[in-house]
Amino acid sequence: MGASRWIYFTDKGGNAQAALDQLRERVFQQSWRHQEPSLDTLEDLMESGILEEEGGTHSVIDVDRVIETDDVDYEEDGTVRMVVPQEMLEYFGEEKPTRDVVERVYKASASDLPPMFRGSGCCAPVYDPQGNQVEWVFWGMTGD
């Protein structure tokens, strides 16, 4: 089936790991066919290896933890690396990009943004025009 790039925005700022957990649960609930889907069900599926056998979900569901590192080339399967300040300037042209800026950059050059390998992603804070963090953006590439 190949790899798929994906991008998601959360509806709040705060802690990146908490935002990722909520986002994964929301995407899982929207896409899974169980009557009462939950993150526990998702974790059970991941632990059983069923999702890996299927080539993953080609979505944010395929990553489960946020890591912080200064190594901008670091990519580990199942992780989302928080981009560092110099990357914000490099990728988005400003320290505090708004959602419009992030969407425009991603649409124009997603393949130029990390990650370069399947199975991981990146995240960054997203700001309102006044410079207040209002959400997170998560993007990555997963699949077989």
Side-chain angles (χ1 to χ4, degrees), residues 5 22 30 32 34 37 47 53 64 93 99 133 140-141:
R5 288 195 174 272
Q22 291 173 352
Q30 291 171 347
W32 203 254
H34 287 82
E47 287 176 15
E53 292 171 15
D64 64 357
R99 184 175 184 152
Q133 184 186 349
M141 182 170 43

Side-chain angles (χ1 to χ4, degrees), residues 3-6 63 75 115-121 139-143:
S4 300
R5 288 195 174 272
W6 43 260
V63 294
E75 293 181 23
M116 297 302 169
F117 303 105
R118 298 173 187 177
S120 62
W139 72 89
M141 182 170 43
T142 57

Side-chain angles (χ1 to χ4, degrees), residues 16-100:
Q17 183 65 55
L20 176 61
D21 292 343
Q22 291 173 352
L23 176 61
R24 291 176 70 234
E25 174 123 14
R26 185 183 82 214
V27 171
F28 182 70
Q29 288 177 355
Q30 291 171 347
S31 63
W32 203 254
R33 305 265 187 253
H34 287 82
Q35 290 209 352
E36 293 184 35
S38 71
L39 199 52
D40 292 335
T41 305
L42 172 60
E43 295 302 331
D44 290 344
L45 288 169
M46 291 181 80
E47 287 176 15
S48 72
I50 291 172
L51 292 180
E52 281 186 32
E53 292 171 15
E54 298 294 322
T57 65
H58 296 259
S59 74
V60 71
I61 295 172
D62 296 329
V63 294
D64 64 357
R65 63 195 178 283
V66 175
I67 58 170
E68 294 184 53
T69 178
D70 291 333
D71 182 358
V72 298
D73 294 321
Y74 183 86
E75 293 181 23
E76 181 182 342
D77 196 39
T79 65
V80 173
R81 182 180 59 78
M82 194 174 308
V83 298
V84 296
Q86 69 260 24
E87 288 177 293
M88 296 290 276
L89 283 171
E90 178 183 345
Y91 303 145
F92 305 115
E94 51 193 81
E95 293 177 357
K96 296 184 174 186
T98 62
R99 184 175 184 152
D100 289 341

